[in-house]
Amino acid sequence: MCQITKKSYAGSLESSDVLVQISPNPGKGLEIDLKSTVKRQFGNAILATVNDVLREFDITEAFVSIDDKGALDCTIRARVSAAVCRAAALTDYHWKVG
Amino acid sequence: MLYGEIELRDIPLNIPKYYQQVETFLKPFGLTVDRLLERYLGAYYNDELVGGAGYGGDVIKCVAIDPRMRGEGIVNTLISRLLSELIAKGLANIFLFTKPANRVMFEDLAFHTIICTDDVLLMETDAKSYPRYLDSLSALRTDGGSCGAIVMNANPFTLGHRYLIEQASDACDRLFVLVVEEDRSLFPAAIRKKLIQAGTADLKNVSLIDGGSYVISGATFPTYFLKTAHVATRAHARLDAMLFCTGIAPALGVTDRFVGEEPLDVTTATYNSVMAETLPAYNIQFHCINRLEKQGAPVSASRVRALIKQDKLVDTAALLPPTTYQFLCSDEAKPIIAKIKNSDSRH
Amino acid sequence: MVAEKIKLRRTMMYVSGSSPANIAQATIYGADSLMFDLEDSVSVNEKDAARFVIYHALKTIDFGDTETVVRINAINTETGRQDLEAIVRAKPDVIRLPKTSCAQDVWDAEAMIAKIERNIGFEEGTIKLMAALEDPSGILNAREIAKSSKRLIGMAIGAEDFVTSMKTTRSPLGVELATARGLLLMACREVGIYALDTVYSDINNDEGFLEEVKLIKQLGFDGKSCIHPRQIKPIHQVFTPTIKEIDYAIRTFGAIQEAEEKHSGVIALNGKMIDLPMVERARRVIRLADAAGILDGGAYGC
């Protein structure tokens, strides 16, 4: 299991990007707070992507705040991954093919 | 911005020409540059400064955009860049100091409102930071009886501070001393707190609390840490007072607030008068305690620092509790004393 | 047939790894190649995040026929080595090595890439390389660099760093780059790889930009790096052959076809022998004309 040890961020607030903040959430499991310019249409899809990345890193306890400015799915994936690596002080990510 | 024609440039505020350029740019927005602004980032369009934002410590401020350039995403770009820099410095929570009119814009930019007065708006990126701080205060609360509060920098802790705490401690069932945590004073926060602790250990109803970011900090009261009074001092003092009245005092169950009388320092005097105006509306009693005098003059931390500066450490013994004096004579104090001798800071 | 053999690299557009907006829209401007940047356009604090952005973009977005190039950080840094680990797996067409000074730089990168390719089951040589020469040693070693690796598809000159190390600045006529451009071009032509010119950074100076594009085309470059989408169209226009050139190329192929049908060993046009360089030139003209959309498709071996 991957532990969120400190608060961290990744991304930006520019158009087509997303700002992801992750912080420890002792004893409270996973909490995701989503703000998005396209929340009505894509809110569920964004949450699914975020959850998918958190599962990949095996994170079960964190407070994740997402400020989305219409980012592509791959950008959300990238930003959440970067934020997790920073917040869990991971340096050797397992890059995959395909 | 998509291959925009807006160019971001660092503006070196240590060069007078650029300092003035920023000052002139901010003036129409009712914003002023202060010495606590460490960094300023400008957005240029055709070589003309059309937007900017900067920070000092963990506080983003002086955000301004030429009205002709609104809606281009310039603020998003500026704020994103500054956030990235501050995050890289390892800051967990980042504050924003701005005008109330910008509230909606910044709520859309990942900031959460801490407090909004008529003149200023204070926000932070961590939605849970302020609520958590208040929760930690609530845990200390004991219901029933009177509860006093003092906010203290104690740079360093003198018999004057001791006198103020004694008076308040006598008048209340319980007393909280909130220690200013911002490390902008000659005595580091940890030492200031340690000396207050040591000097009040015998007073059983007194508890010390870290002021954190929400009691006289670079975020709530930036101009407090300037050498001289500033045009914005009153607005900042009001923000700090409102935060105390609406958040901190109710969380702790404070019924009485004590301050030391301030005949000399304009900033502290302003702060006291704003407190006196603000507290009653929130049913908190305001008490201004006279200064303790020794050798015909009020005892103050600045008087102690002045004596140290003049190499008269022995003379400070009359103004300090033994605990503080012993510390000043110890090896641990040597670097601080050296710093005081080289400094002309108000703090 | 002919068209497939010649890959056009008229325009290679920079797309910063710190700008997801630019990445999302990169394909709509019609650049021949997209160069995703992890190096100079990404600040030190954002290298890790940009690497994730480009990695996921390459794995997800369909870039169609557009060539994908990733400029990584120098491989003698930890950042550059991490870039390679991520980017090779995301499988771009080409990895561009910045600040290449000698053949050893390419060999080092090649060894690392080959090792990763073996680990992940890619055929060795899948990822191509491009070298940017940005200092005097790079230019003086252009010949050995050009010959250093089968993976190397081209070399580019990076003028901003180069002029600085030459104690000068860039000027409209580009005299300061004359020797460097010439040496790089000859080195490329000797081994038959692509030669790409440097960026023109004043995006508001349309006239100066056009002059420079004409100059580098005349010198013999295959294309130019761009830093803004508005630079793409003018480059493509300059690289579009004239009606006269196209007509000549068409007639060259006509003559070849005719000779084949007649089983004639000698191919001639207007009484002049058609030799190999002429065929090469004709192919290139047809390919460029096709890319510019001014051929009525299909015919002439395209």
Side-chain angles (χ1 to χ4, degrees), chain A residues 54-68:
Chain A
L54 295 175
R55 250 195 314 276
E56 185 203 336
F57 284 95
D58 202 7
I59 286 168
T60 51
E61 193 176 87
F63 175 61
V64 184
S65 150
I66 307 280
D67 282 82
D68 171 59

Side-chain angles (χ1 to χ4, degrees), chain A residues 15-16 74 78 86 95-96 98, chain C residues 21 45 48 52 55 59 86 89:
Chain A
S15 162
S16 301
C74 60
R86 288 171 176 181
W95 307 98
K96 288 184 222 42
Chain C
N45 322 329
D48 57 336
F52 271 114
Y55 168 79
K59 288 174 48 154
R89 287 172 171 83

